Amino acid sequence: MTFFRLFALFIFITLLQQHGIIYRTGSKRPLRPSREIRDERIKPKPANILGTWRISGVSITRSGVVQPDGQPVRQYEGGDKHNMLISFFPDSTFTRVGTAGEYTAGKWDFDTTARTIFLTANRKTEEIGVFFSYADNGLRLINFEFSQDQSVSLTEYGRELLRFQDDPYFGKNNWWRVKPLQSENDAKIRARLLNYLAHTASILNSAQLREQNYISMEFSQGIVKLYNVGVGVVKKDKIPATWISSFYSVDEAHKAYDMLEDYLFTGKHKKYQSGNWVRDDHHILVDIHNGMKRK
């Protein structure tokens, strides 16, 4: 029986890795907060919306369709059809990141009295109703009520960091996602690559700070390949399409790939053996970033 359980666990971890999620051993489960703290964390106020949230479902009322009891029919779609993160920061900025390469940055403001949030992006402002609660697994939930007919539920994904500028999804750590409008020279391609490397390193660092039991590259798929312990690149024919599309052209994306691959082969690399592969890979990525920046 033990063998089959281990085999099932292996299959589960393999599937997670295929989706950019790496299980992290040795992490600690945080203690459950007191009732007072739990109640405080779902009050409708700006501080409680800070951090990163993942869409877990979309509910839409079908116009003109009712159930036998006269109630409107609501159609619910799971979060797997809407793979997106939204992060809120204390400087009133927010970002939205999707697994298909979507990226939006904007400003937010919270109206405590009306219990609504204002999201401004791409010269458009939306006022959205906000309701906090808890999921069965203890994670916080937000319901965004766009209208009487449409709402979006979001599950807590990552708590606010003490230095929010170090958050992987903070704006300055994600400009590599913004496709340029014109061809870039080698210096700009390298800068875009360096921003991507810094972003990837920040995912590992934030996982340590938050004491997460997993590392997810699901929303940041690129050319970096993480090992236990070590950092490499994916095969050239396996470069994610979303990463390529963040460059002006395929050729410029391949040029960035070649820059990193060349540095990995020719650069001098310090060894790390702390026993914590997440910490070690973070240090390795920082060294690679800094080394390429000086080159």
Side-chain angles (χ1 to χ4, degrees):
M1 186 66 177
T2 302
F3 169 79
F4 288 109
R5 286 180 177 176
L6 289 174
F7 181 73
L9 179 61
F10 171 77
I11 295 297
F12 176 68
I13 292 175
T14 301
L15 289 172
L16 288 179
Q17 290 176 337
Q18 289 176 350
H19 288 82
I21 303 171
I22 306 172
Y23 183 73
R24 178 188 174 200
T25 58
S27 59
K28 298 179 181 178
R29 177 175 293 182
L31 296 175
R32 185 181 179 88
S34 66
R35 179 64 179 271
E36 291 76 13
I37 293 176
R38 283 172 54 81
D39 289 345
E40 184 66 25
R41 294 185 69 205
I42 58 172
K43 288 182 178 179
K45 59 182 183 179
N48 284 339
I49 207 165
L50 298 176
T52 297
W53 306 79
R54 179 172 185 158
I55 291 181
S56 54
V58 175
S59 181
I60 301 173
T61 300
R62 297 175 61 185
S63 179
V65 181
V66 296
Q67 302 179 58
D69 60 2
Q71 294 297 315
V73 173
R74 294 186 70 85
Q75 180 179 347
Y76 183 82
E77 295 180 349
D80 56 336
K81 291 187 177 181
H82 306 274
N83 286 325
M84 188 165 291
L85 299 179
I86 181 167
S87 304
F88 298 96
F89 303 102
D91 65 348
S92 298
T93 63
F94 78 91
T95 60
R96 277 192 296 248
V97 178
T99 55
E102 310 96 326
Y103 177 70
T104 304
K107 291 281 190 177
W108 69 276
D109 193 16
F110 198 95
D111 187 330
T112 305
T113 303
R115 298 188 178 187
T116 59
I117 189 170
F118 293 87
L119 301 183
T120 301
N122 300 323
R123 299 182 180 181
K124 179 183 178 182
T125 298
E126 292 181 281
E127 182 179 9
I128 306 165
V130 179
F131 301 90
F132 291 91
S133 61
Y134 282 102
D136 292 338
N137 60 7
L139 293 176
R140 288 187 300 161
L141 288 175
I142 294 179
N143 276 337
F144 277 177
E145 298 285 346
F146 287 89
S147 67
Q148 291 183 340
D149 298 332
Q150 183 178 17
S151 65
V152 174
S153 57
L154 302 101
T155 304
E156 188 174 21
Y157 185 81
R159 62 177 171 80
E160 175 197 5
L161 295 180
L162 188 61
R163 263 187 54 85
F164 67 88
Q165 298 91 340
D166 296 334
D167 191 288
Y169 301 105
F170 184 61
K172 74 177 180 65
N173 302 323
N174 289 271
W175 66 261
W176 62 272
R177 301 179 189 270
V178 182
K179 189 180 184 72
L181 298 177
Q182 57 188 13
S183 179
E184 296 184 312
N185 58 28
D186 286 2
K188 290 183 178 180
I189 292 173
R190 181 180 293 271
R192 185 175 294 274
L193 172 63
L194 289 174
N195 188 250
Y196 159 72
L197 292 175
H199 167 80
T200 306
S202 70
I203 290 178
L204 297 179
N205 187 49
S206 65
Q208 295 179 83
L209 295 174
R210 290 169 172 150
E211 297 184 328
Q212 294 173 191
N213 61 359
Y214 63 90
I215 307 296
S216 176
M217 298 296 174
E218 188 180 4
F219 294 89
S220 305
Q221 296 183 46
I223 59 174
V224 166
K225 188 169 185 178
L226 300 175
Y227 295 93
N228 183 6
V229 171
V231 172
V233 290
V234 301
K235 293 181 179 180
K236 208 163 192 175
D237 61 350
K238 299 295 184 182
I239 300 176
T242 52
W243 193 82
I244 291 177
S245 66
S246 66
F247 290 83
Y248 179 75
S249 66
V250 174
D251 288 342
E252 292 186 9
H254 285 172
K255 183 174 287 188
Y257 176 97
D258 293 339
M259 288 177 179
L260 177 57
E261 186 180 48
D262 178 68
Y263 183 80
L264 291 178
F265 277 116
T266 62
K268 294 182 179 180
H269 308 292
K270 181 179 177 181
K271 290 185 178 180
Y272 292 92
Q273 295 178 327
S274 70
N276 182 327
W277 74 266
V278 178
R279 182 184 300 122
D280 291 343
D281 279 10
H282 170 250
H283 287 318
I284 293 170
L285 272 171
V286 170
D287 287 351
I288 292 171
H289 173 274
N290 293 340
M292 291 192 69
K293 192 174 182 179
R294 290 191 296 266
K295 191 172 180 181

